[in-house]
């Protein structure tokens, strides 16, 4: 075996300090045999998506090495990336479809399994409408698979019941970005880490969750002019131990802490008034809200010494450049969206957005969570379109050549817990779960397990392993893993990677894309002209179709192609005629790509901040203010002011 380090012992590897604002390369590798060939890919074990090559010998994966040219990792890999590929050859992989017969899951062939699924689907649609069918997906498939799932669910069946396990985490990221910027999409770039003067991690233990990103930060910290580091986390994590100032709030008090920081910065006059006047709305209200939170009150509610809050505010208020990141410590805590929005607001009042060394990363947890949200495999319509905007629905109907009426848009999309509630109430009678294990990952586990075991519910599970959820299914479909299929995925700083098929899946396992395509073909989904609704038959065809769907949208992929992505370093969206090599960061001119979300969604956040939870905390945490970036106006576009609803 060859390995550049024992990454289990030495998680982050040797320091390679930045030189003149550039992060040097360091190629990490681990192989158990000498590969016969290397196949381009990227790691799919966290939202960093580090570029790597898969080493192959005799049809088996024998190791990985980081891709030196990749913009995300410059060759580095963490312990998960260096070891995770071994899961592909686990002895307990699912190798053939299974059908429950007389209470037992028994082997079947693909025709039997798919015929049964199609027969039950048609029965449901004919008897109850397609609203009897729900889908619960993941943050771990490929872009092409999500898009195909989104089209067959939204335009083939027309069911509103589609969500992903991303609902449990990055739904907050998406909503916070929509409320501040009018659309999903991370404003910052990892390159901003290389030059920034200060970093703020809120509920984000980078050292554990994105080890290579943490290496990048440690390398800045060990180079000349290191960035200051402020960490907000109740726990004494490795990230917190490295911080210049660690704020450890009581659990559930992120909003008071953020309000306290905003108040100190505003009071000290460390704001960019020109930027606020020119590019934002609602500042006076934010100021009033934050003013309710002097450091002593924050200390009382959050348990953070006033002196320490002041020390953090001094760093965040004085830095000429600042990158803020947010993760589960916010997303899975009290008033998640309100707290995440206040982090956005800190960047806005300082005017630190759209510039080198500045911006926000409302991080993703899973490797392809961004694509779930972009491609319409969850509740949102593809391309960050809004179900409540008739123009967006009409546009999708044109792209898919279907009647707009079939695309679910008469009510908000059904969220994951409501999907399970409908299953419990028997209004959803068929649930298709792919790449996720709700029998161990959803709240109220005994109840979720009871629902999955209901006689009346037909459960399909598509996975690589016999999970606790698969054990309760009526049909189990064996799925290929990363390295066994082709496709693309997008990381937390909008970098798109291509991943080639390196080996065959075990037994009869198939890619998720092939399974969805097979289902669409057997269901005979058609467009308005009687042609097949899904007009592609492979991953590249799906990618080309997605490009058209993304055209003109914030996540514009039209400048990308499989050939271009195969050239090397990962490319950020938007990538189009304006940004042929991808856009490093968003909002470089301080102007929104699209206007903010409807007043209704902003008001919802405000309401949540005021009354969302037990009264004592509600009083304590009141105030993620209605502060966001200013929509496009005639002043910016040189054309008459347009009202474009929700981007
Ligand atoms: S940081 Fe994330 S993407 Fe990179 S190697 Fe580690 S697990 Fe994989």
């Amino acid at each position: 075996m060859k390995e550049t380090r024992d990454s289990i012992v030495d998680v982050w590897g040797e320091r390679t300090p930045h030189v003149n604002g550039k992060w040097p390369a360091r190629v990490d590798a681990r192989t158990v045999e000498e590969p016969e060939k290397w196949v381009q890919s990227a790691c799919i074990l966290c939202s960093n998506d580090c570029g790597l090559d898969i080493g192959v010998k005799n049809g088996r994966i024998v190791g990985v090495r980081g891709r030196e040219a990749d913009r995300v990792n410059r060759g580095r890999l963490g312990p998960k990336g260096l070891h995770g590929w071994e899961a592909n050859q686990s002895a307990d992989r699912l190798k053939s479809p299974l059908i429950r017969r007389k209470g037992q899951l028994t082997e079947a062939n693909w025709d039997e399994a798919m015929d049964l699924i199609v027969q039950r689907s048609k029965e449901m649609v004919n008897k109850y409408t397609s609203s009897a069918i729900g889908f619960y997906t993941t943050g771990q498939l490929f872009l092409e698979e999500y898009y195909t799932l989104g089209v067959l669910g939204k335009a083939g069946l027309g069911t509103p019941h589609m969500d992903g396990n991303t609902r449990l985490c990055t739904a907050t990221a998406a909503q916070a970005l929509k409320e501040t910027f009018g659309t999903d999409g991370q404003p910052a770039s990892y390159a901003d880490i290389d030059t920034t003067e200060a970093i703020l991690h809120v509920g984000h233990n980078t050292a554990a969750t994105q080890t290579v990103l943490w290496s990048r930060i440690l390398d800045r910290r060990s180079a000349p002019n290191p960035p200051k580091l402020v960490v907000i986390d109740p726990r004494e994590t490795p990230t917190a131990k490295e911080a210049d100032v660690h704020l450890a709030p009581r659990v559930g008090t992120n909003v008071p802490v953020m309000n306290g920081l905003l108040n100190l910065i505003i009071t000290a006059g460390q704001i960019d008034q020109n930027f606020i006047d020119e590019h934002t709305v609602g500042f006076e209200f934010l100021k009033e809200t934050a003013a309710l939170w002097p450091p002593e009150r924050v200390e009382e509610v959050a348990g953070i010494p006033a002196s320490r809050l002041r020390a953090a505010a001094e760093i965040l208020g004085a830095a000429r450049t600042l990158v803020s990141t947010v993760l589960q410590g916010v997303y899975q805590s009290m008033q998640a969206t309100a707290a995440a929005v206040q982090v956005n607001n800190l960047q806005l009042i300082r005017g630190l957005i759209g510039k080198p060394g500045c911006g926000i990363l409302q991080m993703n947890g899973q490797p392809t969570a961004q694509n779930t949200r972009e491609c319409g495999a969850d509740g949102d319509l593809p391309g960050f379109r809004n179900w409540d905007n008739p123009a967006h629905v009409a546009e999708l109907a044109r792209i898919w050549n279907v009647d707009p009426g079939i695309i679910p848009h008469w009510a908000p999309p059904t969220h994951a817990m409501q999907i399970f509630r409908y299953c419990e109430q028997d209004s959803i009678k068929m649930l298709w779960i792919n790449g996720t294990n709700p029998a161990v990952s959803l709240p109220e586990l005994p109840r979720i397990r009871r629902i999955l075991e209901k006689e009346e519910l037909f459960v399909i599970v598509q996975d690589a392993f016999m999970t606790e959820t698969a054990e309760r299914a009526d049909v189990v479909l064996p799925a290929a893993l990363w390295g066994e299929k082709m496709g693309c995925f997008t990381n937390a700083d909008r970098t798109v990677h291509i991943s080639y098929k390196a080996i065959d899946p075990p037994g009869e396992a198939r890619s998720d894309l092939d399974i969805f395509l097979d289902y669409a073909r057997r269901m005979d989904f058609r467009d308005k002209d009687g042609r097949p609704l899904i007009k592609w038959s492979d991953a590249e065809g799906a990618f080309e179709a997605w490009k058209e769907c993304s055209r003109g949208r914030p996540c514009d992929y039209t400048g990308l192609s499989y050939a271009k992505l195969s050239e090397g370093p990962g490319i950020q969206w938007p990538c189009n005629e304006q940004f042929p090599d991808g856009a490093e960061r968003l909002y470089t001119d301080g102007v929104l790509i699209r206007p903010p979300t409807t007043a209704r969604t902003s008001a919802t956040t405000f309401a949540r901040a005021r009354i969302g939870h037990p009264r004592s905390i509600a009083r304590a945490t009141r105030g993620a203010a209605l502060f966001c970036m200013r929509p496009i106006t005639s002043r910016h576009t040189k054309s008459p002011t347009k009202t474009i609803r929700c981007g």
Side-chain angles (χ1 to χ4, degrees), residues 82 88 157 167 210 280 329 375 400 403 447 543 603 609:
L82 289 165
N88 283 65
L157 290 166
R167 174 69 60 179
Q210 287 110 345
T280 70
C375 297
W400 293 338
D403 188 307
R447 176 176 159 244
F543 187 81

Side-chain angles (χ1 to χ4, degrees), residues 301-482:
V301 171
I304 290 173
S307 59
R308 196 167 290 196
L309 192 77
R310 286 195 179 92
E314 274 168 28
I315 292 173
L316 302 173
R320 289 170 300 178
T321 50
L322 171 67
V323 174
S324 295
T325 76
V326 181
L327 198 60
Q328 310 298 7
V330 171
Y331 302 160
Q332 298 190 337
S333 186
M334 295 282 285
Q335 297 180 289
T337 307
V341 163
Q342 291 299 57
V343 180
N344 295 345
N345 288 345
L346 195 156
Q347 297 281 156
L348 289 190
I349 62 168
R350 300 231 42 238
L352 300 180
I353 198 87
K355 303 172 189 169
C358 299
I360 297 151
L361 294 162
Q362 297 279 353
M363 298 295 294
N364 300 330
Q366 295 180 84
T368 69
Q370 192 68 45
N371 302 115
T372 322
R373 303 193 324 240
E374 291 165 4
C375 297
D378 66 357
D380 278 340
L381 296 180
F384 298 152
R385 289 178 176 88
N386 179 3
W387 65 271
D388 199 19
N389 183 336
H392 284 181
V393 176
E395 192 176 30
L396 273 184
R398 179 186 57 72
I399 292 166
W400 293 338
N401 193 31
V402 297
D403 188 307
I406 195 169
I407 300 172
H409 64 283
W410 48 88
T414 317
H415 64 73
M417 294 310 291
Q418 189 64 42
I419 287 176
F420 280 86
R421 177 69 178 139
Y422 287 154
C423 293
E424 188 171 41
Q425 293 174 313
D426 290 342
S427 73
I428 290 181
K429 294 178 178 293
M430 172 174 151
L431 182 62
W432 191 327
I433 299 165
N434 55 78
T436 186
N437 190 7
V440 296
S441 57
L442 279 183
E444 301 182 70
L445 276 186
R447 176 176 159 244
I448 295 298
R449 291 179 178 191
R450 271 197 309 276
I451 293 170
L452 290 169
E453 289 163 6
K454 274 168 61 86
E455 278 287 311
E456 300 80 1
L457 183 67
F458 184 70
V459 177
I460 303 158
V461 170
Q462 185 171 317
D463 210 311
F465 295 93
M466 179 53 78
T467 64
E468 290 82 351
T469 305
E471 284 169 3
R472 292 166 167 81
D474 295 288
V475 178
V476 178
L477 304 175
L481 284 173
W482 161 95

Side-chain angles (χ1 to χ4, degrees), residues 421-600:
R421 177 69 178 139
Y422 287 154
C423 293
E424 188 171 41
Q425 293 174 313
D426 290 342
S427 73
I428 290 181
K429 294 178 178 293
M430 172 174 151
L431 182 62
W432 191 327
I433 299 165
N434 55 78
T436 186
N437 190 7
V440 296
S441 57
L442 279 183
E444 301 182 70
L445 276 186
R447 176 176 159 244
I448 295 298
R449 291 179 178 191
R450 271 197 309 276
I451 293 170
L452 290 169
E453 289 163 6
K454 274 168 61 86
E455 278 287 311
E456 300 80 1
L457 183 67
F458 184 70
V459 177
I460 303 158
V461 170
Q462 185 171 317
D463 210 311
F465 295 93
M466 179 53 78
T467 64
E468 290 82 351
T469 305
E471 284 169 3
R472 292 166 167 81
D474 295 288
V475 178
V476 178
L477 304 175
L481 284 173
W482 161 95
E484 298 163 357
K485 59 184 182 178
M486 175 103 190
C488 297
F489 40 91
T490 307
N491 82 344
D493 89 332
R494 294 173 283 104
T495 300
V496 187
H497 286 103
I498 192 165
S499 181
Y500 280 84
K501 179 178 174 179
I503 59 169
D504 287 328
E508 295 176 40
R510 287 183 182 176
S511 74
D512 296 277
L513 178 67
D514 283 348
I515 297 169
F516 294 143
L517 289 173
D518 190 13
Y519 177 70
R521 185 178 54 76
R522 290 173 193 255
M523 287 294 288
D524 198 26
F525 294 131
R526 298 274 160 176
D527 68 10
K528 272 197 310 196
D529 298 328
R531 298 173 61 223
L533 171 68
I534 292 179
K535 299 173 177 62
W536 51 93
S537 55
D538 60 11
E540 188 166 10
F543 187 81
E544 289 298 314
W546 161 246
K547 280 167 58 178
E548 278 314 298
C549 188
S550 75
R551 184 181 292 279
R553 302 299 303 155
C555 52
D556 192 333
Y557 280 67
T558 50
L560 293 172
S561 65
Y562 271 25
K564 190 165 179 169
L565 287 165
S566 302
E567 286 166 11
I571 301 171
Q572 289 171 291
W573 66 247
C575 181
N576 50 22
E577 281 181 15
Q578 188 184 358
F579 303 108
D581 298 317
E584 186 85 65
R585 56 190 66 80
L586 306 182
Y587 314 119
T588 50
D589 53 2
V591 177
L592 287 180
I593 299 169
R594 289 284 185 277
T597 39
T598 56
R600 183 171 58 189

Side-chain angles (χ1 to χ4, degrees), residues 43 45-46 48-50 77-78 80-81 210-212:
C43 178
L45 292 166
C46 86
N48 228 41
D49 298 5
C50 298
L77 294 172
K80 286 196 286 183
Q210 287 110 345
T211 58
V212 171

Side-chain angles (χ1 to χ4, degrees), residues 40-57:
Q40 182 178 354
S41 182
C43 178
I44 195 165
L45 292 166
C46 86
S47 63
N48 228 41
D49 298 5
C50 298
L52 59 72
D53 293 319
I54 303 171
V56 179
K57 184 177 182 185

